[in-house]
Amino acid sequence: MEPLNWVSAGNLLERSTGVGETKQASLAEQENREVIVVGGSAAGLFTAAKLARGGRAVRVLDSKPELDPAPRSLIVTHHFRNLLGPAAAASVKNEIRRFELFTDGRSAQIALRDPDLIIERARLIPALAEDARQHGAQFSYDTRFLSLGPNARALRLEVESGGQKEELHADQVIGADGATSRVARTAGWPPVETVPLVQAIVKLPADCPPDTTRVWFVPDDTPYFYWLIPENENRGALGIIGEGSGQETKKRIEQFLEKKGMTALEWQGARIPVYRKWIPVRRRIGNGEVFLVGDAAAQVKVSTVGGIVTGFRGAQGVADALLAGTRSTELRELRRELGTHWLIRRALHYFQQRDYSQLVDLLNDSTRESLGEINRDESTKLLWNVIRRQPRLVLLGLRGLLMGKRAQ
Ligand SMILES: Cc1cc2nc3c(=O)[nH]c(=O)nc-3n(C[C@H](O)[C@H](O)[C@H](O)COP(=O)(O)OP(=O)(O)OC[C@H]3O[C@@H](n4cnc5c(N)ncnc54)[C@H](O)[C@@H]3O)c2cc1C
């Protein structure tokens, strides 16, 4: 396997190799240096809170005028609770205990041993911000990051704050500014590919239990899938990931809603990153360092396009490395995880209707148990368990991969 293209937090480790005292001195030095986090959403705030907790001076910049996140329901695995601890409780508003998969008149059910959680983003973001603030992080809203470059000590940032251009200085900058990250662009990372995600908030159909997520595979409409995630017993979010333009994707979902007899109460949408290969999360610019976390580093599970938990894990990895000055195992594990999701997506991406029908038929009892038993954030384990119990799925997956090769 290719080594992580990332060694340590700055020259900290290089200077300390084999010399414990030098490392201690460097860590003490580090503590007084400011880290600027660009982007005060899930991944940025999680990183800021971890760094502030670890004693680093942290400033979070966000282009939004204030901390006022729009309400949005998100589905996450229960790993969310492990990462956030007791703070997670405030954002959880529903639990999902079952998945129902549909394709071409067939269906299969998968019961989850550990329920997925439906969380409210408008509660999560303020809770993360409060945690960071309590540990000393400073916040600058209405502050748009424009560019960065080296200065004598480390990094110089150009920002626009309240209509005025300003210069800021930092030793490390964390780009947590989403899929179209300007930090990534100005620091020289190549752009990340994105796909449109469109969601309609709908009245929950009477036959859909509030603890069950529905998934429809309709390969003529999308190589991904449609989903219906209940927010509570009355409302749910019906969504699609498309390819091409957001408008085409919206048209597809409108037709799907009509077929299902549902009406959109409101619309949500954005372009989200597609993970294709690991993006090294650190770059050195002059004497400074720039890191990427969350959507800015495409830390999104490409099989299901969930980015909250994986973005937290990327943030945790960067914070661990900055605080301890050592290579982070979290990033190595995240890389393996995202790679497995990419393999699954590549196998599914060229599936036709008959392949999905076969997939649902093959999901016999033991395989379904496997899927439900293991957290989707441990996808490598999940994949092996499924394959062990239903080897014919390997052939189906290989066929998908071969179809993908032919289509390229
Ligand atoms: C409709 C929708 C539904 C989704 N559903 C789910 C789901 O159910 N489960 C799941 O796990 N994931 C879901 N996702 C994906 C998830 O929301 C993202 O992966 C996650 O929000 C990424 O967080 P982030 O902090 O990396 O980036 P973002 O949330 O994109 O935050 C970027 C921040 O940077 C700020 N910013 C941007 N540019 C600048 C600049 N130049 N200067 C200063 N600040 C800047 C922005 O204002 C913003 O606050 C969904 C996404 C969408 C769009």
Side-chain angles (χ1 to χ4, degrees):
M1 187 188 268
E2 217 183 303
L4 273 181
N5 192 1
W6 179 51
V7 185
S8 67
N11 53 8
L12 200 60
L13 202 71
E14 288 146 44
R15 274 197 276 155
S16 71
T17 313
V19 190
E21 302 86 311
T22 318
K23 183 173 173 185
Q24 284 310 314
S26 301
L27 283 170
E29 223 175 80
Q30 282 288 112
E31 276 169 18
N32 300 322
R33 298 175 160 198
E34 190 168 65
V35 183
I36 291 188
V37 178
V38 180
S41 180
L45 292 172
F46 192 81
T47 320
K50 292 277 162 200
L51 290 174
R53 233 177 238 271
R56 294 297 306 270
V58 182
R59 175 171 298 279
V60 180
L61 314 180
D62 203 290
S63 50
K64 294 209 187 85
E66 54 184 351
L67 176 71
D68 184 23
R72 188 191 290 163
S73 298
L74 305 166
I75 185 165
V76 292
T77 57
H78 81 284
H79 200 49
F80 176 81
R81 282 205 172 112
N82 305 338
L83 285 161
L84 279 197
S91 15
V92 176
K93 54 184 197 178
N94 191 16
E95 292 193 348
I96 299 296
R97 296 181 179 276
R98 202 170 300 102
F99 270 68
E100 283 180 343
L101 311 180
F102 296 92
T103 196
D104 200 25
R106 293 166 158 82
S107 69
Q109 274 205 12
I110 296 165
L112 301 177
R113 191 191 59 187
D114 296 308
D116 276 359
L117 309 171
I118 305 296
I119 56 164
E120 175 50 65
R121 190 171 173 275
R123 285 191 224 153
L124 170 69
I125 302 297
L128 290 172
E130 188 47 33
D131 188 22
R133 203 186 299 276
Q134 272 182 11
H135 289 91
Q138 307 283 313
F139 286 79
S140 302
Y141 288 99
D142 193 15
T143 303
R144 179 178 297 281
F145 166 86
L146 299 176
S147 66
L148 60 76
N151 64 9
R153 176 168 157 158
L155 295 168
R156 173 188 50 76
L157 286 80
E158 193 187 11
V159 300
E160 190 178 274
S161 187
Q164 302 286 319
K165 283 201 176 158
E166 274 181 36
E167 214 174 79
L168 301 175
H169 300 269
D171 291 280
Q172 280 127 351
V173 169
I174 315 258
D177 49 342
T180 55
S181 171
R182 193 161 179 150
V183 172
R185 212 174 339 128
T186 54
W189 270 275
V192 163
E193 183 189 333
T194 61
V195 286
L197 184 158
V198 182
Q199 244 180 206
I201 301 302
V202 295
K203 187 168 169 295
L204 199 65
D207 68 343
C208 183
D211 66 353
T212 301
T213 287
R214 289 189 168 166
V215 171
W216 292 268
F217 297 112
V218 188
D220 286 347
D221 286 7
T222 171
Y224 294 85
F225 47 82
Y226 291 101
W227 63 84
L228 173 60
I229 298 168
E231 286 181 0
N232 52 40
E233 58 279 7
N234 302 317
R235 275 167 51 118
L238 193 140
I240 179 180
I241 305 149
E243 286 190 310
S245 79
Q247 270 173 347
E248 277 166 47
T249 307
K250 184 151 182 240
K251 238 183 242 156
R252 297 239 188 259
I253 191 174
E254 280 170 343
Q255 286 162 357
F256 188 78
L257 282 171
E258 203 178 313
K259 249 191 268 166
K260 298 282 169 205
M262 289 187 237
T263 312
L265 305 173
E266 61 186 81
W267 291 101
Q268 302 169 345
R271 293 196 74 89
I272 47 166
V274 181
Y275 177 90
R276 286 193 185 280
K277 63 174 184 180
W278 179 251
I279 296 179
V281 297
R282 171 188 174 261
R283 261 173 194 244
R284 174 168 280 286
I285 307 251
N287 293 324
E289 292 174 298
V290 184
F291 296 85
L292 298 182
V293 294
D295 277 17
Q299 289 163 348
V300 172
K301 285 177 277 186
V302 73
S303 59
T304 55
V305 204
I308 294 289
V309 166
T310 40
F312 282 172
R313 292 180 65 188
Q316 176 81 57
V318 165
D320 285 350
L322 274 171
L323 293 172
T326 55
R327 219 182 257 227
S328 163
T329 51
E330 187 71 55
L331 287 176
R332 200 172 315 126
E333 280 163 23
L334 176 63
R335 179 181 185 168
R336 193 175 328 123
E337 181 67 27
L338 293 173
T340 308
H341 281 278
W342 170 229
L343 184 69
I344 296 170
R345 169 96 322 261
R346 270 165 64 201
L348 292 179
H349 211 72
Y350 296 94
F351 264 32
Q352 291 160 7
Q353 190 60 71
R354 65 168 198 282
D355 303 308
Y356 277 116
S357 304
Q358 208 183 338
L359 176 72
V360 168
D361 290 346
L362 283 174
L363 289 174
N364 57 31
D365 284 347
S366 61
T367 318
R368 287 206 307 260
E369 206 178 288
S370 240
L371 285 168
E373 258 170 25
I374 300 165
N375 186 331
R376 291 193 309 288
D377 290 311
E378 296 165 15
S379 59
T380 315
K381 202 160 146 198
L382 181 145
L383 204 61
W384 281 118
N385 254 24
V386 167
I387 287 168
R388 195 165 47 80
R389 295 187 195 194
Q390 184 47 281
R392 284 162 68 200
L393 278 171
V394 180
L395 295 177
L396 196 61
L398 283 175
R399 201 162 85 213
L401 287 172
L402 286 174
M403 284 191 288
K405 277 258 172 278
R406 252 181 265 141
Q408 276 164 9

